Amino acid sequence: MSDRDFHDAPSSGEEPGAGRASKRSAELEAERRRRRAQFLRDLAEARELRDRVQPRRAKTARLRHAMRMRTFRW
Protein backbone atom coordinates (compact mmCIF):
# COMPACT_ATOMS: atom_id res chain seq x y z
CA MET A 1 0.00 0.00 0.00
CA SER A 2 1.46 3.38 -0.96
CA ASP A 3 1.52 6.35 1.39
CA ARG A 4 -1.01 8.15 -0.79
CA ASP A 5 -3.55 5.35 -0.37
CA PHE A 6 -2.94 5.26 3.35
CA HIS A 7 -3.48 9.01 3.85
CA ASP A 8 -6.54 9.21 1.61
CA ALA A 9 -8.40 6.54 3.57
CA PRO A 10 -10.65 7.98 6.33
CA SER A 11 -9.76 6.87 9.83
CA SER A 12 -12.22 4.70 11.72
CA GLY A 13 -12.13 7.05 14.73
CA GLU A 14 -13.07 10.19 12.80
CA GLU A 15 -14.63 12.93 14.93
CA PRO A 16 -18.21 14.04 14.29
CA GLY A 17 -17.15 17.70 13.82
CA ALA A 18 -14.73 16.95 10.99
CA GLY A 19 -17.15 18.45 8.44
CA ARG A 20 -16.72 21.86 10.05
CA ALA A 21 -12.96 21.74 9.52
CA SER A 22 -13.36 21.08 5.80
CA LYS A 23 -15.91 23.89 5.55
CA ARG A 24 -13.50 26.22 7.33
CA SER A 25 -10.65 25.24 5.01
CA ALA A 26 -12.92 25.83 2.00
CA GLU A 27 -13.71 29.32 3.34
CA LEU A 28 -10.00 30.01 3.82
CA GLU A 29 -9.31 28.82 0.28
CA ALA A 30 -12.07 31.05 -1.11
CA GLU A 31 -10.68 34.03 0.82
CA ARG A 32 -7.18 33.31 -0.49
CA ARG A 33 -8.53 33.17 -4.05
CA ARG A 34 -10.35 36.50 -3.57
CA ARG A 35 -7.20 38.16 -2.23
CA ARG A 36 -5.13 36.71 -5.09
CA ALA A 37 -7.64 37.92 -7.69
CA GLN A 38 -7.57 41.42 -6.16
CA PHE A 39 -3.77 41.40 -6.18
CA LEU A 40 -3.65 40.37 -9.84
CA ARG A 41 -6.15 43.11 -10.76
CA ASP A 42 -4.03 45.69 -8.93
CA LEU A 43 -0.89 44.40 -10.62
CA ALA A 44 -2.46 44.68 -14.08
CA GLU A 45 -3.66 48.19 -13.28
CA ALA A 46 -0.16 49.18 -12.16
CA ARG A 47 1.32 47.80 -15.39
CA GLU A 48 -1.18 49.74 -17.48
CA LEU A 49 -0.37 52.91 -15.56
CA ARG A 50 3.37 52.36 -16.01
CA ASP A 51 2.85 51.80 -19.74
CA ARG A 52 0.92 55.06 -20.02
CA VAL A 53 3.50 57.01 -18.03
CA GLN A 54 6.54 55.52 -19.79
CA PRO A 55 5.45 54.87 -23.39
CA ARG A 56 8.99 54.49 -24.76
CA ARG A 57 9.87 51.82 -22.21
CA ALA A 58 6.56 50.05 -22.88
CA LYS A 59 7.22 50.05 -26.62
CA THR A 60 10.71 48.56 -26.22
CA ALA A 61 9.30 45.94 -23.85
CA ARG A 62 6.65 44.99 -26.43
CA LEU A 63 9.27 44.75 -29.18
CA ARG A 64 11.56 42.67 -26.95
CA HIS A 65 8.69 40.32 -26.09
CA ALA A 66 7.76 39.98 -29.78
CA MET A 67 11.37 39.12 -30.62
CA ARG A 68 11.47 36.48 -27.89
CA MET A 69 8.25 34.96 -29.17
CA ARG A 70 9.53 34.88 -32.77
CA THR A 71 12.76 33.15 -31.78
CA PHE A 72 11.19 30.70 -29.32
CA ARG A 73 11.43 27.07 -30.38
CA TRP A 74 8.80 24.56 -29.38
Side-chain angles (χ1 to χ4, degrees):
M1 176 186 286
S2 71
D3 288 338
R4 181 182 305 260
D5 293 337
F6 177 74
H7 291 295
D8 287 344
S11 64
S12 59
E14 198 169 312
E15 296 180 23
R20 283 184 284 164
S22 65
K23 183 179 179 185
R24 176 79 174 135
S25 96
E27 289 172 357
L28 290 174
E29 181 68 19
E31 178 61 28
R32 186 188 72 82
R33 287 179 187 268
R34 275 193 294 276
R35 282 186 281 122
R36 183 175 187 273
Q38 181 62 46
F39 170 77
L40 292 175
R41 280 192 297 271
D42 292 345
L43 184 63
E45 183 181 346
R47 284 184 180 146
E48 289 172 7
L49 176 63
R50 186 185 64 202
D51 290 349
R52 280 197 309 271
V53 173
Q54 300 175 336
R56 186 181 300 160
R57 186 173 290 180
K59 180 180 178 183
T60 58
R62 277 195 311 272
L63 292 173
R64 210 175 299 120
H65 179 71
M67 181 62 74
R68 274 198 312 269
M69 295 308 287
R70 276 197 303 268
T71 59
F72 183 77
R73 294 200 178 238
W74 297 97

